Amino acid sequence: FKGAEMSIDTSSRVVLLGENGNGKSTLVKLLTGSLDPTEGEIKRKAQARIALVNQHHADQLDLQMTPLEFMRSRFPGDGTDAHLLTLRTHLDRSGVPTTKQTVPAHALSGGQRSRVALAAVSYVQPHVLILDEPTNFLDRDSLGALATAIKNYAGGCIIISHQREFYSALCPEVWSVVDGRC
């Protein structure tokens, strides 16, 4: 990026627009720290938690595991019933009802798998959430649930999407990424 100066904080609501190959993924990698700049600098608070949900986020699930097993494998906690209840409650609030929490992921719909993956991301309470093409593979109900979750989310949010209907009501700021410029 040339001459780019930008700031993201917990109140940010930004959509990144641009054709494939123009640098959206590079910008995300710079923001998350998975790529270092070749010039210039990026200042990130050491304690900042940034979570990325890419368009294939549901692929991280082991299809043989249930949502509850997946969450327990990611967040083992202290093994108490209280921790298990915390995980169950979080899954339920993320749109995975108790009846689906013990069903193997292979038997869940794409939207339900997506909700499990989003539950795992949101469990760590990131300060900034980056959603890369989050609307892919979601049914209408899941799209509505995701939009509501983003509206109610207390942290910053960056969305990469081509679905104007989805992002226009959520993101007042639009950053156009074209030819290494933002």
Side-chain angles (χ1 to χ4, degrees):
F1 292 92
K2 296 174 178 78
E5 188 173 320
M6 57 197 78
S7 178
I8 300 289
D9 61 30
T10 57
S11 65
S12 297
R13 290 290 192 267
V14 177
V15 63
L16 296 180
L17 296 179
E19 297 296 321
N20 291 340
N22 275 313
K24 296 184 306 289
S25 294
T26 300
L27 180 56
V28 165
K29 288 176 184 176
L30 289 166
L31 292 171
T32 60
S34 64
L35 183 64
D36 292 323
T38 55
E39 291 181 26
E41 65 181 328
I42 293 179
K43 295 179 184 177
R44 187 180 310 104
K45 288 190 176 188
Q47 66 273 27
R49 290 185 305 273
I50 301 172
L52 172 64
V53 179
N54 68 33
Q55 58 186 313
H56 304 291
H57 60 275
D59 292 347
Q60 68 179 305
L61 301 178
D62 178 336
L63 297 179
Q64 302 310 310
M65 294 176 90
T66 69
L68 190 56
E69 290 169 339
F70 175 73
M71 290 294 286
R72 287 179 85 178
S73 72
R74 295 280 304 271
F75 311 105
D78 57 8
T80 63
D81 288 341
H83 178 66
L84 184 62
L85 181 59
T86 299
L87 294 176
R88 282 185 170 281
T89 301
H90 185 73
L91 280 165
D92 189 57
R93 288 184 181 152
S94 299
V96 185
T98 307
T99 57
K100 297 291 183 184
Q101 293 178 13
T102 55
V103 174
H106 67 80
L108 299 174
S109 71
Q112 290 165 335
R113 288 182 200 159
S114 186
R115 290 176 190 188
V116 174
L118 289 169
V121 169
S122 64
Y123 189 78
V124 297
Q125 300 176 337
H127 297 109
V128 176
L129 185 58
I130 301 173
L131 301 162
D132 186 357
E133 297 289 350
T135 58
N136 291 359
F137 315 113
L138 294 184
D139 57 32
R140 190 171 203 67
D141 289 341
S142 296
L143 281 172
L146 178 60
T148 299
I150 291 170
K151 284 180 187 173
N152 295 329
Y153 182 60
C157 190
I158 300 169
I159 298 175
I160 300 169
S161 179
H162 299 288
Q163 284 200 3
R164 183 180 219 82
E165 288 177 32
F166 179 75
Y167 70 74
S168 62
L170 300 171
C171 299
E173 242 180 289
V174 177
W175 293 2
S176 181
V177 181
V178 180
D179 295 328
R181 296 194 184 280
C182 183

